[in-house]
Amino acid sequence: MNYFGLLGAALMLQACEPRTFCTEEFRSVGFTWTGANLPSKVTTVNWRTGDTLTILDEGYERFFAVVDDGSMNALSFEGDSLFVRVQDSLGTQLSTAWYVVGRDDCHIIYRSGPEFLP
């Protein structure tokens, strides 16, 4: 191979985008409910878009997700403000909170928000 062939191959390799390797975990961001009666409904709205996010992760025991990797494409890389409303079975508002959650190429990234509610 001549010098120009080697130079061309080197330039082609430099032009390639680095691959992203993601873990197979499924991430969620949420809160642990400290109140006596468990909430019946948790609604999360992306303030930037006005869209209500659908949560795939239903939580566990007293932990309630407000966003998970299933909503990753609805979030910006920089992070979005998420308004969260927590209600009981009658629709009474029990608590509200703000979270900031961004994303990378693989998962959501928690930036801020309460760990415990109410």
Side-chain angles (χ1 to χ4, degrees):
M1 187 179 268
N2 64 26
Y3 174 73
F4 291 110
L6 287 173
L7 180 62
L11 289 174
M12 285 177 41
L13 287 174
Q14 286 182 345
C16 293
E17 292 293 323
R19 290 183 147 180
T20 301
F21 296 96
C22 299
T23 61
E24 292 184 19
E25 65 187 309
F26 189 79
R27 293 185 186 172
S28 62
V29 171
F31 59 88
T32 299
W33 186 255
T34 61
N37 297 324
L38 292 176
S40 294
K41 185 175 182 182
V42 176
T43 306
T44 304
V45 176
N46 183 325
W47 206 249
R48 176 179 57 86
T49 64
D51 294 334
T52 299
L53 303 180
T54 302
I55 310 305
L56 299 175
D57 183 356
E58 295 180 12
Y60 178 72
E61 293 183 0
R62 300 187 78 77
F63 176 82
F64 292 86
V66 298
V67 65
D68 58 30
D69 278 346
S71 298
M72 193 175 91
N73 291 332
L75 300 172
S76 67
F77 285 92
E78 298 80 23
D80 287 322
S81 294
L82 306 178
F83 178 71
V84 176
R85 179 178 296 116
V86 182
Q87 297 172 310
D88 66 12
S89 60
L90 299 175
T92 303
Q93 184 169 292
L94 301 175
S95 185
T96 60
W98 285 95
Y99 287 80
V100 176
V101 179
R103 63 172 280 209
D104 60 18
D105 290 332
C106 301
H107 299 287
I108 60 172
I109 300 173
Y110 169 82
R111 305 260 192 244
S112 66
E115 183 178 346
F116 299 97
L117 286 177

